[in-house]
Every structure is written in structure tokens, then in C-alpha cells.
Amino acid sequence: MLSKTSKLGCYSWSLQAWDTCPGARGEDGEAVDACRFCYARRGNYLYSNVKRVRSVNLEDWKQDDWVDRMVSSIGSDLYFRWFDSGDCYHRDLALKILEVMRRTPDTNHWFPTRMHKFDKFKDVLFDMSQLHNVVVRLSSDSVTGKCLDTPMPSSVIVPISGFKTTREVDTFECKAYTREGKCGDCRACWSKEVKVISYPYHGVSKAKVIKLVKVA
């Protein structure tokens, strides 16, 4: 059920990107700016063995014993990330994840999501955020540092390192790009005290995104 990316250094549970990402689509049905060149739709994520795990997870979470098995799999791990690809597309899945979080109080859970756009998820996300061991981090659609107007922890993409966000005083810039794309010992994304994480855009698609949104 679980995967372990070299970036994170901890286990995660994921689904196939885009197929389970209703929040990644704008009103026109096209990808929002932050998702136009999603890392989880290219590179290693296209390998059949990687896709297979996510395909299995898509059906596996519906099983009656899934919560028990997830609690057992997470065990005593200190840190866990939900959705290094995909998103919590179904309310029933969100409720099951909430139960996993409650039953693993010694594990710090990071739950990034765009499902805050949909009213039916808001109460579940709020309940998650009230747990001492959970950070629900709401994702902005912007790649130009426009942050969400929310008291909850959030994240935003910026075009380059040092780019000021609309909530600069609250922003912590991810430095994974200085460590070959790895988190290292940084755990800012799991911290309730860090209100906004900014991720400098990187990779070959960066110039395309910046051009599309007309960033100077």
C-alpha cells in the first residue's frame, strides 16, 4: 500500500495523479496553473510498477479492513505523508483517513490537498486539522506566489527562489532544491506553526509555466 520517495525519506500513500484530482481542474476543465506540468504525471511516475501501486490503492481503500491495515503499516513511524501524487477525491476516503490519523497519535501526518474547494470535504478537513498530530496543508493554484486567504496551513508555488508571496511574513521557502530535491531533516511541511510553504518551481517545465501565466 505504501511508497517511499527519495525526496521525503518517509512513507506515503498515493493515488494516480489527475484521475483522482478534481481540485486540479479549473472551471474550463483544464489544469489549473500549479497542475499544468505536474511532476506526478511524468518521469518515474509513468513506470508501470509505480502506476500499479496507485491503481491497487484506488480499489484497496474501499475494503472494510483498510483502516486496520493502514494503522498497522504506519506503525510507530514518526512522519507520514498522504498523497505524494493524486488527492483525496472521495469523502468516504477522507473519513477513513481521519480514522487512521486518530489511531496513530504518535505519527505526524502531512495532508496536502485541493479538496478544500468542495464544501462536502470542509468538515472532514477541519476535523483532521484539530488533531495534534495532523497538518492539513491547503494547496494554492498559483505559480506566482498568490497565497490562499485561510487561517489553515497552506502552500504556494513561486517562479524562483526568493520570490515574495502575498503572505510573505507567514512564508517559509522550501529549500529542497539546494539538497538535490530532498527534504533532508527539514519537517516544515508537517509543522502547524509554518503557515505558508512556498515551493520554488524547478525542472524543464518551469519556463513554460511562467510564460503561460505571464510572469515577468
Side-chain angles (χ1 to χ4, degrees):
M1 294 190 291
L2 307 185
S3 54
K4 191 173 188 178
T5 65
S6 59
K7 172 181 170 62
L8 295 173
C10 70
Y11 284 103
S12 61
W13 187 89
S14 304
L15 297 173
Q16 192 65 23
W18 188 250
D19 298 341
T20 61
C21 298
R25 294 168 170 80
E27 293 182 0
D28 59 359
E30 299 297 320
V32 298
D33 291 338
C35 301
R36 289 190 185 190
F37 298 96
C38 175
Y39 67 87
R41 298 177 68 190
R42 50 193 170 88
N44 292 341
Y45 285 87
L46 297 180
Y47 292 153
S48 59
N49 61 319
V50 176
K51 293 174 70 173
R52 183 166 55 252
V53 171
R54 285 152 179 77
S55 295
V56 170
N57 284 346
L58 184 61
E59 298 303 322
D60 188 47
W61 75 262
K62 302 169 188 175
Q63 302 301 313
D64 292 341
D65 65 343
W66 182 80
V67 169
D68 291 336
R69 287 187 286 114
M70 281 297 299
V71 170
S72 178
S73 294
I74 292 172
S76 59
D77 287 359
L78 290 178
Y79 293 94
F80 191 81
R81 172 175 176 172
W82 295 92
F83 302 105
D84 66 80
S85 70
D87 205 342
C88 190
Y89 72 105
H90 200 293
R91 179 179 163 84
D92 288 347
L93 172 57
L95 289 169
K96 284 192 171 185
I97 291 174
L98 174 60
E99 182 62 20
V100 173
M101 292 169 169
R102 285 172 171 158
R103 290 176 54 184
T104 52
D106 296 327
T107 298
N108 295 284
H109 295 264
W110 166 25
F111 189 91
T113 186
R114 283 190 167 77
M115 301 311 292
H116 57 89
K117 298 179 179 181
F118 306 100
D119 288 342
K120 67 180 180 180
F121 286 90
K122 290 182 178 179
D123 63 329
V124 188
L125 296 180
F126 177 80
D127 288 345
M128 289 179 178
S129 73
Q130 297 307 292
L131 298 176
H132 77 277
N133 60 321
V134 177
V135 169
V136 177
R137 194 166 290 280
L138 310 184
S139 301
S140 168
D141 292 339
S142 173
V143 296
T144 61
K146 184 177 181 180
C147 301
L148 295 171
D149 182 15
T150 175
M152 293 179 67
S154 63
S155 66
V156 67
I157 294 173
V158 292
I160 57 173
S161 175
F163 194 91
K164 292 187 181 300
T165 73
T166 55
R167 290 176 57 185
E168 186 61 25
V169 68
D170 295 326
T171 299
F172 174 91
E173 183 180 282
C174 173
K175 298 294 185 182
Y177 70 92
T178 68
R179 298 184 291 267
E180 298 181 339
K182 294 178 173 59
C183 294
D185 59 2
C186 178
R187 289 294 179 263
C189 291
W190 284 265
S191 173
K192 291 180 183 287
E193 302 304 313
V194 179
K195 297 305 181 183
V196 181
I197 302 279
S198 69
Y199 301 110
Y201 220 111
H202 61 280
V204 295
S205 61
K206 171 183 169 182
K208 296 179 181 178
V209 172
I210 294 174
K211 182 177 180 181
L212 283 170
V213 296
K214 299 179 181 179
V215 178

